Amino acid sequence: MTKPDWPSIKCDYVETTLTLAEVEAKWGISRGTLSARATRESWRDQKQQYAAKLEQIRQEKIIARTAEEQATFQSK
């Protein structure tokens, strides 16, 4: 039996919309093992921080695009 690829498993949970149950099914990891690891390493908090960071980036892009459109409009 090979060792689980924990960095990739963690990435699948933290940096995607997959739930722990979906990660469990994808990687074939037992629910208890996966849940214990996720709890011990605070994956849920990391997932929330990652989502917040992505939302901030999205908002910054919207603001930049709006400012660019406004500047283009005013220059015409």
Side-chain angles (χ1 to χ4, degrees):
M1 183 173 158
T2 62
K3 288 187 174 185
D5 181 3
W6 287 112
S8 295
I9 294 168
K10 178 182 175 182
C11 183
D12 266 358
Y13 178 69
V14 172
E15 297 182 8
T16 70
T17 59
L18 293 178
T19 64
L20 280 179
E22 292 167 330
V23 172
E24 169 192 348
K26 177 180 177 180
W27 289 92
I29 305 291
S30 76
R31 180 68 167 179
T33 300
L34 184 61
S35 183
R37 182 85 173 221
T39 299
R40 186 173 57 250
E41 296 180 2
S42 303
W43 288 6
R44 179 173 288 145
D45 292 340
Q46 292 174 41
K47 186 177 189 83
Q48 291 172 345
Q49 291 170 359
Y50 186 80
K53 181 180 175 184
L54 289 180
E55 179 61 20
Q56 179 182 358
I57 291 168
R58 188 181 76 79
Q59 290 293 328
E60 289 170 356
K61 286 181 179 180
I62 290 171
I63 291 168
R65 187 176 342 116
T66 302
E68 184 178 311
E69 290 170 356
Q70 182 71 23
T72 301
F73 178 78
Q74 287 180 353
S75 69
K76 289 184 180 181

